[in-house]
Amino acid sequence: MCNYLLRKQGGTPDAPAEVMFHTRSASSELIRHAGLSYFPLAFIARLPFAMMTVGVLTLVVAERGSVTLGGLNSAAAGIGTALAGPLLGAAADRLGQRRVLVPVGLINAALLAAFILVVQSAAPDLALLAMSVLIGASAPQIAPMSRTRLVAIITRKIRVSERERVLSSTMAYESAADETVFIVGPFLVGILATAIAPWLAIVGAAALTLVFVTRFALHPTGRLQPGTKNSRQQAPARELASAKLLTVVAGALGIGLFFGATLTSLTGFLAADGDGDRAGLLYGVMGIGSAALALGSAAFPARFSFRARWLTFATLMLAAALAYATARDELTIVIALAVLGCGIGPTLVSQYSLAAQLSPAGRSATTMTMLGSAVVVGQAVSSAVTGAVVDSLGATTAMTLPAVTAALIVAAGIAHATSKPKTADRELVPA
């Protein structure tokens, strides 16, 4: 993160040395106020959230032998996140992050550990679904909390003249980190499930939550969060329902739908040959181009607007998803997944950047939690639907579903671009 911020703030080759010096100083100031350990801590603390849905799916399929049931449990976790996620964000906006993250993290770690015992027992399927809902509801919302902390630092500590550039690169990094963990998380689940046992992935998620989420909650940056004394500065909650912002949430939902359809169909395809545990490993191929282009998106010219990036890279996703749908051998699937990754990263960066622009005053954590919850909900629901398609119609039919979800992402991008804007695309500035 440190090198990334400093590199991205260097300006154009023709930028005056004084501008470059001040911009680098501003980035260094952000890093100094956040603390050098903050960025790796915030990254690792996100992993349990990304591992949760895939880990539940993998464990249930392995122990109960049903892709459909595994998908339903993933969907149940997503429902829990949908119900509680935005509420946790609103609570953090009002009460501060520490009061929310510490108890939620401890509860979530305990539920993850208990889930392993319940799955391996003779407990009815309904009990599994109930626990999955609770796991999703208690999932710590690290990504939106991290964005809100960094925005607070930039707003309070960075010179006004440097805020736009520093915040732009910071948001690009944060979006890239989000997208990367949604690739790395399933990849870790695949490694642990293949090398040892599927239950170990859930144990790992519980341990990461207990240690790193708690450490993130107690990090000094948590003190920068607004408490009840600033609640009067919050915009009315109804502003969260603006059409422009809701199209971005719909786009994030489409990303989640894509993740779920791709992973579950891939699992079904490999499971036909007895290699279902390898799905997370192949799924991780998407992370290569995805992480590279997400991190590099801050270097795109300003005239290449966030809306245009969304449409461009979502269209690339659609083309690659069509190739994935017709693939019948592992090499072709890997190539398609690699190209898909090149589209996912910049699309997510664009969506989160647009959400930051459109976030009502004092509602940053709530807004970002809406997007994060939309991704998880989409992934969970799509996992359930795709799992049912795998069991009833076969994996090859299910492999067409990622293309359908990619088309929805393109449609949401078109709806956002054609809806009446409050303001034109601009550089990110604090609310």
Side-chain angles (χ1 to χ4, degrees):
M1 172 63 185
C2 305
N3 291 336
Y4 172 76
L5 281 173
L6 294 176
R7 184 172 65 252
K8 292 304 177 188
Q9 299 311 316
T12 63
D14 299 326
E18 184 178 358
V19 173
M20 295 174 65
F21 172 77
H22 286 307
T23 308
R24 288 179 179 176
S25 297
S27 297
S28 299
E29 191 175 353
L30 170 63
I31 295 168
R32 180 171 61 85
H33 284 292
L36 195 59
S37 65
Y38 174 81
F39 298 99
L41 173 62
F43 182 87
I44 297 174
R46 298 173 206 238
L47 283 174
F49 193 77
M51 296 171 66
M52 176 186 70
T53 302
V54 181
V56 166
L57 170 65
T58 303
L59 180 61
V60 172
V61 171
E63 295 292 338
R64 299 292 177 106
S66 172
V67 176
T68 299
L69 181 60
L72 286 173
N73 275 272
S74 291
I79 291 172
T81 300
L83 294 174
L87 296 178
L88 294 177
D93 278 331
R94 181 172 292 274
L95 302 175
Q97 293 188 12
R98 290 185 173 185
R99 296 180 182 178
V100 175
L101 284 177
V102 171
V104 165
L106 295 176
I107 292 171
N108 187 252
L111 287 171
L112 286 169
F115 185 74
I116 300 172
L117 301 177
V118 175
V119 172
Q120 294 176 342
S121 70
D125 295 344
L126 186 60
L128 298 185
L129 294 173
M131 285 205 68
S132 294
V133 171
L134 294 176
I135 288 172
S138 61
Q141 305 286 323
I142 299 300
M145 306 301 181
S146 177
R147 282 185 174 85
T148 306
R149 292 185 186 194
L150 294 178
V151 168
I153 293 174
I154 293 170
T155 303
R156 301 180 187 191
K157 305 295 184 180
I158 303 300
R159 292 181 297 276
V160 175
S161 61
E162 302 295 342
R163 286 179 186 172
E164 289 188 20
R165 294 187 182 186
V166 175
L167 186 56
S168 179
S169 291
T170 302
M171 291 299 297
Y173 166 80
E174 284 288 299
S175 298
D178 279 347
E179 193 278 331
T180 301
V181 297
F182 272 100
I183 299 298
V184 174
F187 184 73
L188 288 176
V189 171
I191 290 178
L192 295 174
T194 302
I196 303 178
W199 57 264
L200 189 59
I202 299 296
V203 171
L208 289 172
T209 299
L210 184 63
V211 177
F212 289 96
V213 170
T214 302
R215 182 67 188 89
F216 176 84
L218 298 177
H219 192 273
T221 54
R223 298 171 184 165
L224 293 172
Q225 295 313 300
T228 53
K229 65 180 181 180
N230 292 326
S231 61
R232 292 170 302 187
Q233 300 176 7
Q234 288 184 336
R238 63 176 179 272
E239 292 191 14
L240 293 167
S242 68
K244 199 74 172 175
L245 179 57
L246 289 180
T247 57
V248 181
V249 176
L253 177 66
I255 294 290
L257 292 170
F258 173 82
F259 283 150
T262 303
L263 178 59
T264 308
S265 63
L266 180 61
T267 301
F269 180 84
L270 295 175
D273 295 326
D275 293 329
D277 288 348
R278 296 178 58 241
L281 296 175
L282 295 186
Y283 187 72
V285 170
M286 286 197 298
I288 301 173
S290 180
L293 287 180
L295 287 171
S297 63
F300 291 151
R303 61 181 178 275
F304 190 17
S305 68
F306 292 129
R307 288 179 295 181
R309 297 176 197 179
W310 180 350
L311 290 173
T312 299
F313 289 103
T315 302
L316 176 62
M317 287 179 61
L318 178 57
L322 291 173
Y324 173 84
T326 60
R328 294 298 178 265
D329 61 88
E330 191 169 305
L331 177 60
T332 306
I333 289 176
V334 168
I335 294 173
L337 290 172
V339 178
L340 281 167
C342 294
I344 295 171
T347 302
L348 261 181
V349 170
S350 300
Q351 290 173 352
Y352 274 106
S353 298
L354 288 167
Q357 289 182 343
L358 299 168
S359 175
R363 299 284 182 177
S364 177
T366 308
T367 301
M368 296 304 174
T369 304
M370 287 170 61
L371 263 70
S373 297
V375 172
V376 175
V377 169
Q379 183 178 15
V381 172
S382 185
S383 295
V385 173
T386 307
V389 172
V390 169
D391 284 346
S392 59
L393 301 177
T396 54
T397 300
M399 290 174 70
T400 63
L401 296 181
V404 176
T405 62
L408 293 176
I409 298 169
V410 173
I414 294 173
H416 179 83
T418 56
S419 61
K420 185 178 180 180
K422 289 184 178 181
T423 57
D425 275 0
R426 54 181 170 78
E427 289 292 325
L428 295 171
V429 294

